[in-house]
Amino acid sequence: MGTRAVVARPTPQGFTGRIFLNDGAPYTAMSVLRGFVLNVQEGDVEAAARVLIDEHPGGWIDVPDPDCRGRCLCHDAPPVNGAASTEPTTEQTASEAEYVYVLHPERLAVLVPGDDGWEEIRSTPWSD
Ligand SMILES: [Zn+2]
């Protein structure tokens, strides 16, 4: 736990999405996100993005997976001192994140901060 990351959809400039606070390292997060897209949303990447990004503007403590509906910062556990930020997290504002997971229509990409902005370190197709 404690690895802060972002789940996002691609934009022409980079990405836009929401933070999640726990289990953001690739080994866990890629498997959780693949399970959510493929098993919970039956492979509908856009439906998954709507849940993960649009329906929970506060972001997540734990993103949902096939075994758990997740815990969000807007409905389940709002911050004690006021509302969660509802600003989307983008390539401009994701500086606290160690990883970004971009839900492309055909693949899941993993980005890390590099010298020249965000660098893609892994990419895996949704279906193999
Ligand atoms: Zn919520």
Side-chain angles (χ1 to χ4, degrees):
M1 57 174 282
T3 302
R4 188 174 283 229
V6 172
V7 58
R9 50 163 75 88
T11 67
Q13 298 77 30
F15 55 83
T16 182
R18 306 294 178 191
I19 59 161
F20 62 98
L21 303 181
N22 283 347
D23 290 331
Y27 180 80
T28 308
M30 290 183 80
S31 127
V32 165
L33 290 170
R34 283 179 64 83
F36 184 69
V37 169
L38 297 177
N39 300 329
V40 181
Q41 300 295 334
E42 299 178 341
D44 187 337
V45 179
E46 187 46 39
R50 279 198 301 275
V51 174
L52 293 169
I53 298 166
D54 302 331
E55 294 176 10
H56 297 281
W60 298 91
I61 302 168
D62 304 295
V63 293
D65 66 32
D67 300 318
C68 171
R69 55 176 292 279
R71 284 184 298 160
C72 68
L73 290 160
C74 33
H75 302 89
D76 297 324
V80 176
N81 298 315
S85 169
T86 55
E87 290 294 312
T89 300
T90 70
E91 73 283 352
Q92 309 278 348
T93 60
S95 55
E96 288 178 26
E98 295 178 56
Y99 300 95
V100 176
Y101 299 90
V102 183
L103 309 174
H104 291 276
E106 73 295 346
R107 66 194 181 91
L108 174 63
V110 186
L111 313 185
V112 295
D115 295 335
D116 253 344
W118 293 89
E119 285 175 14
E120 185 171 309
I121 57 164
R122 285 181 73 175
S123 172
T124 179
W126 293 114
S127 54
D128 19 44

Coordinates of all heavy atoms in Angstrom, one line a residue, residues 40 51 63 78 82 104:
V40 N -15.0 -7.3 -14.6 CA -16.1 -6.6 -14.1 C -16.9 -5.9 -15.2 O -18.1 -5.9 -15.3 CB -15.7 -5.6 -13.0 CG1 -16.9 -4.8 -12.4 CG2 -14.9 -6.3 -11.9
V51 N -16.5 4.6 -14.8 CA -16.6 4.3 -13.3 C -15.3 4.9 -12.6 O -15.4 5.6 -11.6 CB -16.7 2.8 -13.1 CG1 -16.6 2.5 -11.6 CG2 -18.0 2.3 -13.7
V63 N -8.8 1.2 -5.8 CA -9.6 1.0 -7.0 C -10.4 -0.3 -6.9 O -9.9 -1.2 -6.3 CB -8.8 1.1 -8.3 CG1 -8.2 2.5 -8.4 CG2 -7.7 0.1 -8.3
P78 N -14.7 10.6 2.5 CA -14.2 11.9 2.1 C -13.2 12.4 3.1 O -13.3 12.0 4.3 CB -15.5 12.8 2.2 CG -16.6 11.8 2.3 CD -16.1 10.5 2.8
G82 N -12.7 18.7 4.6 CA -13.3 19.3 3.4 C -13.3 18.2 2.3 O -12.9 17.1 2.5
H104 N -5.9 3.0 -22.6 CA -6.1 3.1 -24.1 C -7.2 2.2 -24.5 O -7.4 1.1 -23.8 CB -4.8 2.9 -24.8 CG -3.8 3.9 -24.6 ND1 -3.7 5.1 -25.3 CD2 -2.7 3.9 -23.7 CE1 -2.7 5.8 -24.9 NE2 -2.1 5.1 -23.9

